[in-house]
Amino acid sequence: MNKKHEVQADSPVLARNFAISRGLRVAQVIRYCESGKIPGARFDRVLWQWVLYPPIKLIR
């Protein structure tokens, strides 16, 4: 069995991948990261992307 597509429970997730998997727009998730509505979201200056660290929860 190919385990390449399985995601570990404690691995960080890019905001783009999170948005696609949840059916949200990428710009919307990035706006939530910038406003602090997703705790554990950090901007990675090496990747130059938003990274979400588990547990990922959306605060509305």
Side-chain angles (χ1 to χ4, degrees):
M1 177 174 272
N2 189 0
K3 296 187 179 195
K4 184 177 180 182
H5 299 289
E6 293 181 10
V7 178
Q8 295 178 357
D10 295 338
S11 62
V13 178
L14 295 176
R16 175 182 294 135
N17 295 343
F18 179 76
I20 292 170
S21 68
R22 301 294 192 267
L24 301 170
R25 292 177 301 179
V26 176
Q28 183 179 15
V29 173
I30 290 173
R31 197 172 330 120
Y32 288 156
C33 292
E34 292 172 342
S35 65
K37 291 186 179 182
I38 301 178
R42 297 182 188 143
F43 189 77
D44 189 344
R45 292 182 184 260
V46 175
L47 297 175
W48 207 252
Q49 294 184 21
W50 282 94
V51 179
L52 308 177
Y53 292 93
I56 301 171
K57 296 180 182 180
L58 179 62
I59 299 174
R60 290 191 180 208

